[in-house]
Every structure is written in structure tokens, then in C-alpha cells.
Amino acid sequence: MENNSKTCGKQSLLFANPPYIIAGSSITGKKEGEGPLGRYFDQVEEDPMFGGDTWEDAESRMMKRAADAVIQKAGINKDDIRFMVGGDLLGQLIATSFGIMELEIPLFGVYGACSTMGESLAIGSVLVDGGFADKIMAITSSHFAGAEKQFRFPLAYGSQRPLATTWTVTGSGAVILDKADNRSKKELEKEAPVCVMGATVGRIVDYGIKDSMNMGACMAPSAYKTISANLNDLGVKPEYYDKIITGDLGYVGKDILIDLLKQEGFDISKNHMDCGIEMFDKDTQDTHSGGSGCGCSAITLAGYVLPKLRRREWKRVLFVPTGALLSTVSFNEGNPVPGIAHAVIIEGM
């Protein structure tokens, strides 16, 4: 593995000037706060409307809170941020555009479905590594009610959810990327600096699955392809990472992913973690296969994963948010649900 190389293998990038993650924020809803990771999040909002009038307005308000929180935690001003990179699940990224509009920060609006945090981190890191910006905010969000309204059924319909379904997380996560970590030597000894060392850009993968109620099965093949590409591009084995962290495959997708990788000779069963599985207690919270949504991996990264790296409990993780690339139009026209997954290599230094 050549650490001075900008490209690595067919799909991967290694950064010559790895950007630092200097802060992260996590804003969640009540159900997420009641789950196993609840104590790690910055803010848990009891009001599902976040003080707004609609579900879409609620998500925008939640995203604005995440942006404000990460700016405050980084100890910077919003004018210090060169670009924002982010998106959400709603049509035309309306949660993002309405949520962060008043910040007046130049925006790259991106859509990778539930893989959006991985995509945002990768693009933001390329900009910092290339010298095009010194500070970038990567941000995303999802809201259970907004996603149900757009992709499935309005809540008032009261439809039953099959056991393979995942529960869209109400949450917004944000991180600040910087070209340097300017904390004092004493502070750096107490908490390790955390860097984005590289990324593996995902390909669209379509196994012909048409069940929109089984997101894990739709997205697992893309996670398999991206993780496989990362391991092959870097010439490493799964144990190179303390954790390989997928975004929101849930219990169904996790089993499929592990089986697919084993067919290629990679066993990740010992160091794999899925944010959707960690997010909820399926037995007491009635979330079936687990959590999903753009916010699922974003708040887990900001609230749980980054502190682990800073405390030096983990040295290196492969963060792999996964996304299902469907819309109401494509689904109603009978198309399958392709998937995509973007992987980001994050290390505590």
C-alpha cells in the first residue's frame, strides 16, 4: 500500500494530506434516545416535530441544530467553513436546502440515499486534501415520518410493517473536516486526533431485488462490492480494521453481507458492526430488522465511533454507509432497487 499515492486500485483513494475530523454532532429523536446508543448523542428531542409545522420542516430544523452544534463544538465561526457537503432522503434535498439556507455557506448538495454521510465525507476530504478548502462541514439527516410519508405510507394509514423492514432513524449528524488539528500537545495526548485517511467510492449494484420493505437485502450487495474493493485495492485483510462499520443493513442485510464476503475469502464476522443494529433494541422497541436512513450512520459516527477513536479504544475503522437508490417513481414503474455504498477509512493518530 503506497501511502503517498492519490489513487489506489480501481476504486480507492489515499490522501497525501489526510483531513482531520475536529468535531462531530448528533441530534436525534425520542426513540433513538431510548435505544442502546442514546446516552452518546448530543441532543435528544422529545418533540418529533422539532417545533415545526410539518415533518419536512421538522427535519430541516433538526439539521440546522446539528450544524449549529458542530460549529460550536469545533470552536469556530460559520464563516470559517469554506463549503458544506450534504443531503437527505427527501425529494430535491429539501431538508438540507431549507435547513441550512440561513447559514449562507456554499453547498455541494449530494444524494446517496442512506450512504450520503460516506459520500459527503469522501467529497469533503478530497477538497481538503487537494487544498481547495481548509474547513468543510459534512452533514446529513433523516426523519422517520418524512421518509414513511414519501417512500411508503402516511402514518395515519397504520400499515403493518414486515419483519424484514428497517425503521428510519430520526437524526442528523455533522462533522467538521480541517486541514489541521490545532489543539495543544496536552489536549492531543488526552484525545487522539482523528483523520480521514482514504475512501473507496462505491458502484451502483443491482441484484434485481424489488422488495422496498427489505432494504437490507437491497443494500447488502453494494456493501459487499465496496468492502471487497477496499480490501483488494489496499491489499489488506479484514483484520486491518478494528471495525468494519456498515450503515444500515440491519439483521437481514448483515447476514447477506457476511455470506457474500465469505464467498470471496473475506471473513468480517468478528469485526463487523452495523449502525442499524446498534441503534435500537429490536425486542423492546419494535424496530424489526433495525435502523436505517441517512441519519442512522451519521449520528452513530459522530456520537459513538469518533469518541472511540479519540479515546484510542479503536485505531482504524472502515466506515461504510449504504444506500438504496429508489424513488416513488422508479418503484411504481416496477423497477428493482439498486444499492450503493461508500467507504471511508478513519484513523486515530
Side-chain angles (χ1 to χ4, degrees), residues 238 254 258 262 266-273:
K254 174 187 176 75
I258 289 174
K262 281 183 177 179
F266 296 126
D267 185 357
I268 67 167
S269 59
K270 293 182 180 180
N271 60 337
H272 174 252
M273 166 185 151

Side-chain angles (χ1 to χ4, degrees), residues 234-264:
L234 274 62
V236 298
K237 296 181 179 180
E239 51 266 32
Y240 178 71
Y241 300 103
D242 293 303
K243 289 289 180 180
I244 296 175
I245 305 170
T246 49
D248 32 27
L249 298 181
Y251 291 93
V252 174
K254 174 187 176 75
D255 291 342
I256 296 171
L257 170 65
I258 289 174
D259 287 346
L260 288 171
L261 282 168
K262 281 183 177 179
Q263 293 177 17
E264 202 169 318

